[in-house]
Amino acid sequence: MNIMLDRFTRYGAIDVLTFIGQWPDRQALRAEAGDLTDMADRLGLRAMCVSHLSSVLGHDTRTGNEELFAAAAQDVRLWPFPIVNPLEAGWKEELDWAVSRGARGIRLVPGYHGYGLNENGLQELLNEVRKHGLPLQVCARLQDERLQHRLLLVDVVDLHELAELIMTADGHPLLISGLRDHERDLVMRNVTSDSKIRQVLFDLWFCNGPLAVIASICRAGLAQSYAYSSCTPLQTAEATALQLSSSDIGEEERIDLIYGNAMRLFK
C-alpha cells in the first residue's frame, strides 16, 4: 500500500463521480467494472457512484444504463447513477425503469445532451427524482476545455442556472460536479441565504489542482460543502486522493470530505 495515501485509504471513501466505458477520443480513457473493483480495493473505497459513458455520448441513454446495471451487479460497491436525458422521448419511463433496477441517484450531463437547466422539462424531472427520493447529480463538465477534441467541444453549464437549480431544489439532495473552487463561489453568490444548502455538495475532482486548495477550502469554512470524486477514467484516480491524504486540515474535516458529507445525501 502507498503510505502517501494512508490518511485517505484508512477511512473508506465514497467516490461520487466515476464511469465505466470508453471515452471516444482517447484509447487509454476506459474502465470496465473490474477496473473499478481493482480501484476500490487499491484505494479502500466503500462505494463509487458510477454511470456508463455510452449514456453520455451514445444515441440514447438506455444502452449505457443497461450495461451499468449489469456491471453494478458484480460489485455492491458500484452504486448505479443512471443518466437521464430530459430531451429524450420516454425519459420518465427510463427514470422509472432505472429506479426499479436499484438506482442510487440520477445523473445529468446537460452540456453533452444539449439543454439548459432552466428549460421547462427540468422542473418536471426534478419533481420525479424528488418523488423517488434519489440524489440528483449535475455534471457541469467532464473534461478541462483545453483537453477537449475539437469535434467534442462542450460548453460548461451556466453558473446562474446552477444557482437557480439549487434554489428550486429547496433542500433536495444535489451533487454538482466539475466546478473549479472559484466557480462554486460564483454559484453560491446567486443563491439566497434561506435556501437549504446543507443538502448541496460540490465535488473535488476539478478543483484539486493547486496543492493547497483543499486546505484553503477548509479554512474558508467549506469542509461540509465538498465530497471526494475521481472522475475515473477521464482522470487519474489517485490525484484527488493524494490531495486529501496530504492536505493540512483537521482529521474531522478529512473524514467529512472523504465520505461523511456524501453519506449525508444517502440517508
Side-chain angles (χ1 to χ4, degrees):
M1 179 179 294
N2 188 334
I3 60 173
M4 294 179 65
L5 286 167
D6 178 63
R7 287 198 294 184
F8 177 84
T9 57
R10 72 176 63 167
Y11 293 121
I14 296 176
D15 186 338
V16 300
L17 185 71
T18 62
F19 294 90
I20 54 177
Q22 170 75 53
W23 192 252
D25 68 334
R26 301 283 183 87
Q27 182 64 25
L29 301 186
R30 62 177 298 130
E32 304 300 332
D35 298 316
L36 294 190
T37 291
D38 291 345
M39 172 181 151
D41 293 340
R42 187 171 71 252
L43 298 179
L45 305 179
R46 70 178 68 197
M48 292 162 283
C49 302
V50 59
S51 304
H52 201 293
L53 288 171
S54 290
S55 296
V56 178
L57 293 164
H59 291 292
D60 57 28
T61 55
R62 171 57 71 92
T63 304
N65 287 338
E66 287 181 346
E67 291 290 326
L68 168 67
F69 284 108
Q74 301 175 33
D75 189 333
V76 295
R77 294 171 295 185
L78 300 180
W79 291 1
F81 268 55
I83 291 175
V84 173
N85 179 357
L87 298 186
E88 274 188 355
W91 68 262
K92 193 180 297 184
E93 288 77 11
E94 181 74 5
L95 175 63
D96 291 340
W97 170 82
V99 172
S100 74
R101 296 294 304 270
R104 299 294 297 268
I106 299 298
R107 188 171 287 170
L108 306 181
V109 287
Y112 292 89
H113 286 165
Y115 59 86
L117 295 176
N118 58 356
E119 294 185 17
N120 292 334
L122 260 294
Q123 181 62 60
E124 186 180 5
L125 188 149
L126 177 59
N127 291 341
E128 289 297 316
V129 173
R130 193 199 307 269
K131 184 175 73 178
H132 293 297
L134 295 174
L136 179 66
Q137 184 169 27
V138 178
C139 295
R141 61 166 63 80
L142 294 179
Q143 275 192 315
D144 187 310
E145 291 75 14
R146 296 166 295 183
L147 299 177
Q148 291 179 354
H149 190 283
R150 66 182 181 84
L151 297 180
L152 290 172
L153 297 177
V154 176
D155 293 331
V156 179
V157 173
D158 185 275
L159 300 184
H160 287 89
E161 293 179 9
L162 283 170
E164 291 172 8
L165 177 67
I166 291 170
M167 291 184 285
T168 301
D170 192 27
H172 184 79
L174 291 179
L175 273 166
I176 298 176
S177 180
L179 294 184
R180 299 179 175 89
D181 57 331
H182 76 272
E183 290 176 321
R184 182 263 178 206
D185 296 340
L186 292 172
V187 169
M188 297 310 294
R189 284 179 193 173
N190 291 284
V191 175
T192 56
S193 59
D194 59 350
S195 296
K196 298 173 183 176
I197 59 173
R198 181 172 166 75
Q199 290 298 82
V200 180
L201 283 184
F202 296 81
D203 72 2
L204 285 168
W205 77 265
F206 201 63
C207 58
N208 67 353
L211 189 59
V213 68
I214 291 176
S216 175
I217 286 170
C218 291
R219 284 197 299 273
L222 298 173
Q224 298 289 312
S225 300
Y226 282 89
Y228 165 68
S229 63
S230 68
C231 200
T232 299
L234 282 76
Q235 304 293 321
T236 301
E238 279 76 4
T240 308
L242 280 168
Q243 295 270 339
L244 278 166
S245 187
S246 61
S247 291
D248 182 19
I249 59 178
E251 214 57 17
E252 288 188 6
E253 293 171 321
R254 201 181 322 274
I255 292 170
D256 285 341
L257 292 167
I258 288 175
Y259 79 90
N261 294 336
M263 287 292 289
R264 204 167 68 223
L265 298 194
F266 294 99
K267 290 182 179 177

